[in-house]
Amino acid sequence: MADEWISVTECEDTQPWSIAVDGFFRENVEKQMLADDMSPVAIDSVFSNAVRILSHCPNPNIQEKLAKTGIVIGKVQSGKTSNFISVLALAFDNGYDIAIVLGGNTLDLLKQNASRITSSFNVDSEKLTVLKTNDNKSLINPTRIKEFLENDRKVIIVGLKHNKHIDQIADIFSNSYLSDKSVLIVDDEGDQATLNTKAYRSSISKTYGSVLNLKSKLKSHCFLSVTATPQANILIETFDQLSPDFGELVYPGEGYCGLQEFHGENCDKHIYEIPPSEPNLLDDPGVPLSVYKAMAMFFVGNAIRHSRGDMGIHAMLIHPSQKKYDHRIVQTKIQTILDEWKSKAKTKLSGKCDISYTSLRKLLVEAYDTFVADGVICVTFDNLENTILQRIKSCSPVLICNSEENASENAKHYKTNIFVGGNLVERGITIKGLTVTYITRRAKGKSNVDNTEQRARWFGYKAHYLDVCRVFTTKDIKDDFSSILEHDEDMWASIERAQERGIPFKEMPRIFKLARSAFLSLTRKNVARTENFALSEWKPQRYFMSDKHSAVANTTVISEFRQAHCDAITMECHNKVQVHAVLSNQNYHVLYKKLLSKLTYVDREILNKRYFSLLDEALVKLDLNPVVDIYWVRDKEHSTRKILSDGSVQQLFQGRNPNISSSLYYEGDRSLADKAPEHIQLQIHFVKPTNLPEIDFYAPVLALYIPDNCARELEKLVVKA
């Protein structure tokens, strides 16, 4: 078969080179993807991403001394491994002979990565040799690696993120033959372990130092970080050797369920708040009622899947703490409950009368009724009951998953599994079929966005059984993830805008939003430091105007302003719902005087009259006069949103429709600024609560976009608090 080629023009200091997209390794990886039920469309998307990523890397077919650092940003549990494997396949088809994968900071992650790489390529070992730093030490030396390459083998070395393991890899490149080779280094979960944790102590952490040593041995290479939580990589000093020269966003495929699905507008369907009055699972004596409810929903959901013909793996995770001692306590408690339920299930299925089954049946009926109330379509409870009991009877023992005990081997023997875990399950490890999560672990002080988001093992490709997925957690953790959702969308939108404008990744404005929670930081302080700054690109109002008199007065002011400009207003239609009225190219000072200064604002609101007044004064002092585009968002069908207990609007912005081929596809409210990214944009949303029936009116809620060129100028001013 003749190779197909894509000619790619690279940016900055690299030269254009043609990338073969139909070679031997791509062909074999594609075959395995098809065998794993990945659709041809999804496969094409993965390899299109791989071409973009590889185009930034040094061309191995020319002699040049070039070191590049890049970052591939995906979503938690979205298949990032498939993406970097596709990059490796294309790299081998295009002249690379050797690659290194830093595959985690635990042996379990290392094993998982090496196994996944080997099975994904599915080629003869004389074509591709995959070595692990813990199991293949005697082969990871210059003599053996050179021998492999001379026999036309490609080599992947999978190493632990530990200085000794990385130094072991670096030693082979003391050989001049090997050091002349172009090398691709993939740092899986690249925000963890390899970055310098002593950056602000004028020192170098051991693992970071070993990475720098490895890089120094290579004449031509690309160090590629792969992560769903890139905050640390983006926020480190740009002169750091691991600061990305380029970045690529990798969008999840069809059927992915992540932050938007679990923690967006429909979060109440999937997230169950553990009542604050309940004792903690780790407290003695007894077990909280919410644990019984979670277990009941787990088994009922399992039976619902079976009734649909879905016999897939069904798992529950309990994440109470990082302490192994706590895991043992919880394992004992849950195992006691499970043994009791198994005994009752066996008795009931055998046809014997057991009056004690009544209490269990009540829990199961309540779980079933909850699913029905949430709109889950299923057979009657009477028709489902025996299947529920069979799933209880067939469940695994409670399996511990931490650094001392890996449950994966035992779990293979069951299709219904319950896990208890800590640190090991919060990053990299995939729990197949995870449907119910019970998580109470949260730092006592400030948590980091990146670490907190990585605990969301409940994300993944779950569209066909999302309706039975549930997360039991505290209000604080639920609020953390709502905040992370807003930050995540803001961060992706910022990167997209920078790419569209051709701004190099290193020069991208590092301004990101982190709303709602006072207990979250973007990343670890020992790696990168951040400070709060008021002028992010998008700043929405947080609070709903519940006072009808004020809401009506604001609506009147807005209507009068609109009427005065009616001849200049145009309609922008994205689909039958997303129809916006637009008034373009307005003067901010006039807008402030005629509209913004006349509105009434909620007392706690940050985007208020004082904010707009300060912005007006700042623009005057800097002699800036940016134009403003005004959007009446969803002008025909106004927004309905849940109003939280503190009066805030849950997720004001409509997010991106995940199905790009749908006739209803919409890039999201934030994307409206992309049409004129150098303009200020004022969005006017009319919002009505979905959960407060006593409020029968729509109230205006504002959102403001400040373009980064304007924000950079505004940073020159200090605003007194």
Side-chain angles (χ1 to χ4, degrees), residues 561-573:
F561 177 84
R562 176 169 175 167
Q563 184 60 36
H565 298 82
C566 60
D567 292 340
I569 291 176
T570 60
M571 303 306 292
E572 186 174 302
C573 180

Side-chain angles (χ1 to χ4, degrees), residues 98-112:
I98 185 167
I100 297 162
V101 176
L102 303 181
N105 63 348
T106 68
L107 289 175
D108 288 308
L109 271 176
L110 177 67
K111 180 181 177 181
Q112 176 179 283

Side-chain angles (χ1 to χ4, degrees), residues 394-406:
S394 303
C395 184
S396 72
V398 180
L399 304 169
I400 284 185
C401 190
N402 58 30
S403 59
E404 284 184 354
E405 189 171 338
N406 181 6

Side-chain angles (χ1 to χ4, degrees), residues 274 278-288 290-291 318-334 420-421 438-442 444:
I274 299 170
E278 276 195 0
N280 190 282
L281 178 56
L282 294 170
D283 295 340
D284 282 324
V287 175
S290 57
V291 173
I318 302 172
H319 191 164
S321 162
Q322 65 176 343
K323 298 176 181 177
K324 302 178 188 69
Y325 176 77
D326 290 339
H327 301 161
R328 290 292 178 196
I329 292 174
V330 171
Q331 181 193 37
T332 300
K333 287 185 175 184
I334 303 303
V420 175
Y438 190 98
I439 178 170
T440 54
R441 178 185 171 189
R442 188 174 189 253
K444 292 182 179 179

Side-chain angles (χ1 to χ4, degrees), residues 24 48 371 445 455 458 468 499 583 692:
F24 171 81
S48 293
F371 279 128
R455 291 178 192 141
W458 51 93
V468 297
Q499 289 178 331
L583 178 61
L692 300 174

Side-chain angles (χ1 to χ4, degrees), residues 255-271 459-460 466 485 651 656-658:
Y256 175 73
C257 302
L259 277 164
Q260 186 66 245
E261 288 71 24
F262 281 98
H263 301 282
E265 181 64 20
N266 295 320
C267 68
D268 288 342
K269 187 178 289 188
H270 300 290
I271 312 297
F459 295 172
L466 176 64
L485 168 60
Q651 197 186 347
R656 182 197 308 270
N657 184 314

Side-chain angles (χ1 to χ4, degrees), residues 259-261 263-265 480-490 651 670:
L259 277 164
Q260 186 66 245
E261 288 71 24
H263 301 282
E265 181 64 20
D480 284 347
F481 278 96
S482 293
S483 179
I484 290 170
L485 168 60
E486 294 189 40
H487 160 71
D488 189 73
E489 291 209 343
D490 182 66
Q651 197 186 347
R670 287 181 175 86

Side-chain angles (χ1 to χ4, degrees), residues 120-340:
S120 294
F121 276 94
N122 195 21
V123 297
D124 191 285
S125 61
E126 290 196 344
K127 294 286 188 182
L128 172 66
T129 300
V130 181
L131 304 172
K132 300 192 291 290
T133 52
N134 62 325
D135 291 337
N136 305 113
K137 293 179 182 179
S138 62
L139 296 180
I140 301 175
N141 61 68
T143 302
R144 295 292 165 251
I145 301 299
K146 184 172 181 286
E147 187 176 76
F148 287 139
L149 300 188
E150 288 175 338
N151 285 311
D152 295 325
R153 292 196 194 193
K154 305 292 186 180
V155 174
I156 298 176
I157 303 174
V158 186
L160 200 65
K161 291 191 187 184
H162 186 281
N163 60 293
K164 291 183 179 178
H165 289 250
I166 299 172
D167 287 342
Q168 177 190 353
I169 298 171
D171 284 345
I172 71 172
F173 295 103
S174 299
N175 178 283
S176 59
Y177 172 84
L178 296 175
S179 66
D180 279 339
K181 291 286 184 181
S182 292
V183 178
L184 185 59
I185 306 170
V186 175
D187 184 7
D188 190 28
E189 301 295 341
D191 60 306
Q192 186 190 41
T194 46
L195 298 177
N196 189 10
T197 58
K198 297 183 178 180
Y200 294 95
R201 289 193 283 171
S202 299
S203 186
I204 292 178
S205 54
K206 286 185 177 180
T207 304
Y208 174 73
S210 66
V211 169
L212 298 189
N213 175 50
L214 170 61
K215 285 169 61 66
S216 70
K217 298 282 184 75
L218 303 171
K219 292 179 181 177
S220 174
H221 74 277
C222 182
F223 187 93
L224 193 64
S225 292
V226 180
T227 182
T229 48
Q231 289 83 359
N233 305 72
I234 294 173
L235 293 168
I236 59 176
E237 300 289 353
T238 55
F239 57 76
D240 191 298
Q241 288 194 50
L242 296 190
S243 175
D245 301 309
F246 67 89
E248 289 289 348
L249 296 171
V250 175
Y251 298 88
E254 187 177 352
Y256 175 73
C257 302
L259 277 164
Q260 186 66 245
E261 288 71 24
F262 281 98
H263 301 282
E265 181 64 20
N266 295 320
C267 68
D268 288 342
K269 187 178 289 188
H270 300 290
I271 312 297
Y272 178 92
E273 278 188 34
I274 299 170
S277 58
E278 276 195 0
N280 190 282
L281 178 56
L282 294 170
D283 295 340
D284 282 324
V287 175
L289 177 60
S290 57
V291 173
Y292 289 94
K293 289 183 176 180
M295 292 178 67
M297 294 201 76
F298 170 65
F299 288 115
V300 172
N302 196 183
I304 290 172
R305 290 180 66 186
H306 270 247
S307 72
R308 298 170 178 170
D310 178 1
M311 308 300 177
I313 294 172
H314 197 78
M316 177 178 181
L317 170 65
I318 302 172
H319 191 164
S321 162
Q322 65 176 343
K323 298 176 181 177
K324 302 178 188 69
Y325 176 77
D326 290 339
H327 301 161
R328 290 292 178 196
I329 292 174
V330 171
Q331 181 193 37
T332 300
K333 287 185 175 184
I334 303 303
Q335 188 64 57
T336 300
I337 297 170
L338 183 59
D339 289 342
E340 181 185 339

